[in-house]
Amino acid sequence: MDLTQGTAEEKNRRAKKMMLWFGIVSLIMGFAGWTSAYIVSSKREDWISDLELPQAFFISTAIIILSSITYFVAKKAVGRNDQKLGTIFLLITLALGILFIVFQFKGFSQMLENGYYFTGPTSNIKMSYVFLIAAVHIAHLVAGLISLLVVMVQQLRGKYMPGDMLGMELGATFWHFLDFLWVYLILFMYFVK
């Protein structure tokens, strides 16, 4: 496939998709580094192996999976030119994304209530990793929410139509990536003791 061929619009679409995938790959590399450091650090003598992750993290996992489904439904609806349903499901996705962050902070509160801190004399290296990994994911989810807001504004302006949904496709791809990333991270932290 000759990527130099095609209309200016086709080249633009390919370039935007490629830039998104470069960003996703760089995020994967960052989280791979943190999870690798987590594994290496788990050999330390002061590693807490019987730590229970906060219940709020598991609730937030269900919420983020549901948000991926609602974004998928929104995209399908707009692809069928059902603009109203698409907008409704984008709003539901936004609400679920915010709810995910709320439950993440509830999880942080549960860890603090149990005496686990990010730093300080009562901190532990494992808890520092749990706080760090979850907090960095939240920061990226905020970027996903900003992307979702841009998609919603464009949707309300009538920009997306069947066959012309590049912004929504890019936003959905990033959102689904963040969802899969959190599912990987929660499973990783649950099973790697």
Side-chain angles (χ1 to χ4, degrees):
M1 174 182 201
D2 185 0
L3 297 177
T4 62
Q5 300 300 312
T7 66
E9 183 180 338
E10 290 170 336
K11 290 178 188 178
N12 186 37
R13 291 176 63 86
R14 284 194 303 262
K16 288 179 179 178
K17 287 181 180 182
M18 185 62 70
M19 290 305 296
L20 174 64
W21 283 106
F22 281 144
I24 287 173
V25 168
S26 70
L27 289 175
I28 290 170
M29 291 171 64
F31 280 97
W34 287 313
T35 55
S36 296
Y38 182 102
I39 291 169
V40 170
S41 296
S42 70
K43 306 300 181 218
R44 292 172 45 136
E45 290 181 21
D46 62 344
W47 189 261
I48 301 174
S49 59
D50 60 346
L51 172 78
E52 295 283 328
L53 290 173
Q55 199 62 29
F57 278 10
F58 296 104
I59 295 169
S60 68
T61 302
I63 291 168
I64 204 164
I65 290 169
L66 184 57
S67 77
S68 218
I69 294 168
T70 58
Y71 210 143
F72 175 81
V73 171
K75 188 175 154 213
K76 285 290 184 190
V78 172
R80 291 188 318 268
N81 206 23
D82 189 344
Q83 304 299 333
K84 184 176 179 182
L85 186 64
T87 302
I88 289 169
F89 273 93
L90 285 174
L91 285 168
I92 293 169
T93 305
L94 178 66
L96 290 170
I98 293 168
L99 194 59
F100 171 83
I101 292 174
V102 168
F103 272 91
Q104 290 288 286
F105 280 105
K106 284 186 181 196
F108 290 157
S109 294
Q110 288 173 354
M111 289 189 293
L112 294 172
E113 288 168 8
N114 291 332
Y116 298 115
Y117 297 94
F118 180 67
T119 62
T122 59
S123 69
N124 176 277
I125 188 70
K126 182 173 185 175
M127 289 315 302
S128 295
Y129 276 116
V130 171
F131 275 107
L132 173 73
I133 289 169
V136 173
H137 182 266
I138 288 171
H140 288 93
L141 196 83
V142 168
L145 286 172
I146 293 168
S147 163
L148 178 57
L149 285 170
V150 170
V151 167
M152 286 181 59
V153 167
Q154 298 291 35
Q155 170 65 11
L156 292 170
R157 289 182 177 170
K159 178 164 172 47
Y160 304 123
M161 295 290 155
D164 186 17
M165 300 174 28
L166 179 64
M168 184 175 284
E169 290 168 3
L170 296 173
T173 299
F174 185 56
W175 191 264
H176 295 318
F177 164 72
L178 292 172
D179 293 358
F180 288 124
L181 177 62
W182 177 252
V183 170
Y184 160 73
L185 292 171
I186 192 76
L187 291 173
F188 174 85
M189 292 185 289
Y190 182 79
F191 287 111
V192 177
K193 300 286 184 182

